[in-house]
Amino acid sequence: MISKKIQKALQGSSAIRAMFVEGKEMAARFGAEHVYDFSLGNPATPAPSAVNDAMRDILREADERGAVGSMELHGYMENAGYEAVRRAIADNLNKRFGTDFDAHNITMTVGAAGGMNIIFKTILNPGDEVIAFAPFFGEYRGYADNFDAVLITVAPDKETFQPDLSDFANKITENTRAVIVNTPNNPTGVIYKPETMRRIAAILEDKQKEYGTDIYLISDEPYRELVYDGNQVDFLTKYYKNTIVGYSFSKSLSLPGERIGYVAVPNEAADAEDLIRGIEISNRTLGFVNAPSLIQKAVARCLEEQTDVAFYDENRRMLYEELTKLGFTCIKPEGAFYLWMKSPVENEEAFVNEGKKYHILMVKGTAFGCPGFVRLAYCVSHETVKNALPAFAKLAAAYGLRKE
Ligand code: PLP
């Protein structure tokens, strides 16, 4: 008999993953070129060639060093990861954002998902509250549940998709242990404005004083470098000292299957040394032990590399312009690779099902805690976007938005 928790998890199993499976089935039935799968954030751009080159070089260098090289590359290591890798990341962050990290502030993680889980394990007691701004990455629910914490959600402003900060202030209680910020945002593509971040920080400072607690701001940032039109994403430690950064190379270097990211804890965070040691231990006790070794070394050599943002930008422009012309209401993405679109009918699940009739796969907003909207992941080939446009025209016509 499986546990009650997992029984519950199976019932609410990820809508995105379910759609991924459905997309594969539809592709087998109708041919991949006739299915427009915008469901999963799986990057269509290849990893920069420097990544594979680095992996080959690292393997060759290990071979040249014989048994010592093999042990160094394939053996156990510190739970936080290779010191040289962590130092390279700290130096890179210091150069880009004026921080003062050294290797000990960085823990290498099994992607952002691994990072979030080891942070949660380190700071949460059962019953603690974690606040997420809707719409949010649906997996946060499962991560909070792993540690018997309660996920509390804050409503967005449905025009701008910046968070509603009066709702935020009202939701903070003496049990609030953490607040998650994800900007550029999955699923909206919105970047939180500096003013939003300043106000979030001010509210948190006030509430910490009011309750005599520490509230950590967790910056979940897999999309930091995926920004358009010259937009910038601030490094959030500059607003609020109790910030913990969780980064991932899954999207920035198109490496989601490699499972690599890091957590950065600044020295000025409350109980920073305990946090850092706790995060390292959690990496071990949750069974990750350490982030995969070869890809750790490879990303450390590719910190100046970037995925092809122009590729996503072309999809972004094409999809936003064409869908808007067809009469759909879309939020213009400023970053990440998602388009957030209003469902023409209140029940967006019905709209998602209607889309499937035209072989368009979208994810319902309810999966992100925000009904009435859908998400399109445009990290697909240009052809998929182009070929999908006539299908979207039919879908628009089905709702009387604009005639074909
Ligand atoms: N956080 C957000 C907001 C995401 O969109 C994702 C992946 O899509 C993750 C975390 C998990 O990323 P990773 O593959 O690095 O675990």
Side-chain angles (χ1 to χ4, degrees):
M1 181 82 160
I2 59 174
S3 74
K4 290 198 181 91
K5 243 189 196 177
I6 294 302
Q7 286 176 31
K8 206 173 92 199
L10 286 176
Q11 277 159 18
S13 171
S14 165
I16 307 175
R17 284 275 157 183
M19 196 70 103
F20 180 59
V21 173
E22 199 167 351
K24 283 199 177 305
E25 282 166 9
M26 282 172 78
R29 205 150 27 113
F30 304 112
E33 67 283 18
H34 303 300
V35 177
Y36 318 114
D37 188 349
F38 295 98
S39 63
L40 193 67
N42 210 2
T45 53
S49 57
V51 175
N52 288 3
D53 289 346
M55 290 173 100
R56 277 187 283 267
D57 288 347
I58 292 160
L59 288 170
R60 190 175 25 79
E61 289 161 19
D63 279 348
E64 283 163 10
R65 286 161 51 75
V68 173
S70 179
M71 176 74 95
E72 220 265 325
L73 181 59
H74 302 304
Y76 284 123
M77 69 182 80
E78 286 175 64
N79 301 127
Y82 291 114
E83 181 161 2
V85 169
R86 293 184 286 124
R87 200 178 319 118
I89 288 171
D91 290 347
N92 179 268
L93 291 174
N94 296 344
K95 193 170 84 182
R96 289 162 69 200
F97 304 116
T99 46
D100 63 350
F101 294 128
D102 61 35
H104 104 290
N105 299 104
I106 310 292
T107 301
M108 300 307 295
T109 65
V110 175
M116 296 290 290
N117 274 281
I118 61 177
I119 296 170
F120 277 13
K121 183 162 175 71
T122 304
I123 63 175
L124 296 177
N125 289 306
D128 281 350
E129 292 168 6
V130 176
I131 294 183
F133 297 107
F136 56 85
F137 181 53
E139 297 292 286
Y140 295 157
R141 292 192 189 97
Y143 303 164
D145 190 53
N146 283 344
F147 307 101
D148 297 316
V150 184
L151 194 76
I152 305 288
T153 64
V154 171
D157 170 329
K158 288 203 177 152
E159 296 294 313
T160 62
F161 281 93
Q162 300 283 318
D164 173 343
L165 295 182
S166 55
D167 189 33
F168 174 50
N170 288 333
K171 295 269 169 76
I172 301 173
T173 73
E174 61 190 347
N175 297 322
T176 306
R177 207 60 58 225
V179 175
I180 309 169
V181 170
N182 165 228
T183 172
N185 183 260
N186 175 8
T188 63
V190 164
I191 296 176
Y192 289 177
K193 292 186 173 28
E195 180 53 20
T196 303
M197 290 318 310
R198 262 192 291 277
R199 289 179 56 206
I200 288 176
I203 291 168
L204 286 174
E205 295 288 4
D206 283 353
K207 293 289 179 182
Q208 287 192 137
K209 279 199 201 100
E210 183 182 336
Y211 294 120
T213 53
D214 295 317
I215 306 175
Y216 292 106
L217 183 69
I218 303 173
S219 179
D220 177 28
E221 37 188 74
Y223 305 99
R224 162 168 289 288
E225 289 84 10
L226 266 74
V227 291
Y228 310 108
D229 301 331
N231 275 307
Q232 291 272 324
V233 182
D234 289 326
F235 201 74
L236 299 188
T237 53
K238 89 175 198 198
Y239 293 102
Y240 183 68
K241 71 182 177 60
N242 279 344
T243 302
I244 304 173
V245 174
Y247 182 85
S248 164
F249 294 93
S250 293
K251 319 288 163 136
S252 63
L253 294 180
S254 290
L255 297 171
E258 297 288 354
R259 313 305 306 133
I260 187 73
Y262 60 81
V263 167
V265 177
N267 293 328
E268 57 276 18
D271 300 320
E273 293 308 313
D274 284 349
L275 265 181
I276 291 169
R277 280 183 303 153
I279 282 169
E280 285 176 26
I281 287 176
S282 301
N283 220 13
R284 182 171 85 229
T285 58
L286 279 177
F288 300 123
V289 182
N290 55 256
S293 53
L294 175 58
I295 195 68
Q296 272 194 53
K297 285 179 180 274
V299 295
R301 294 185 187 192
C302 297
L303 295 174
E304 303 289 337
E305 294 293 327
Q306 268 244 330
T307 188
D308 188 357
V309 178
F311 174 94
Y312 296 125
D313 197 13
E314 195 175 325
N315 282 355
R316 174 184 78 119
R317 285 169 196 278
M318 197 165 22
L319 209 52
Y320 176 76
E321 279 165 23
E322 295 302 323
L323 295 187
T324 307
K325 265 194 229 153
L326 287 171
F328 291 108
T329 304
C330 303
I331 304 301
K332 188 162 190 189
E334 300 168 314
F337 41 47
Y338 304 108
L339 182 82
W340 188 238
M341 184 161 89
K342 194 167 185 326
S343 165
V345 285
E346 203 180 317
N347 175 0
E348 92 276 9
E349 196 158 355
F351 177 57
V352 166
N353 287 335
E354 188 66 20
K356 284 183 202 162
K357 292 188 189 160
Y358 305 97
H359 301 179
I360 299 170
L361 296 182
M362 306 174 282
V363 182
K364 59 182 179 186
T366 308
F368 308 98
C370 189
F373 288 80
V374 295
R375 187 194 78 174
L376 288 129
Y378 56 82
C379 46
V380 295
S381 70
H382 296 323
E383 286 64 40
T384 300
V385 177
K386 273 190 211 126
N387 295 342
L389 297 178
F392 276 113
K394 286 184 191 143
L395 185 60
Y399 285 94
L401 296 181
R402 203 156 288 190
K403 297 280 168 274
E404 279 178 72

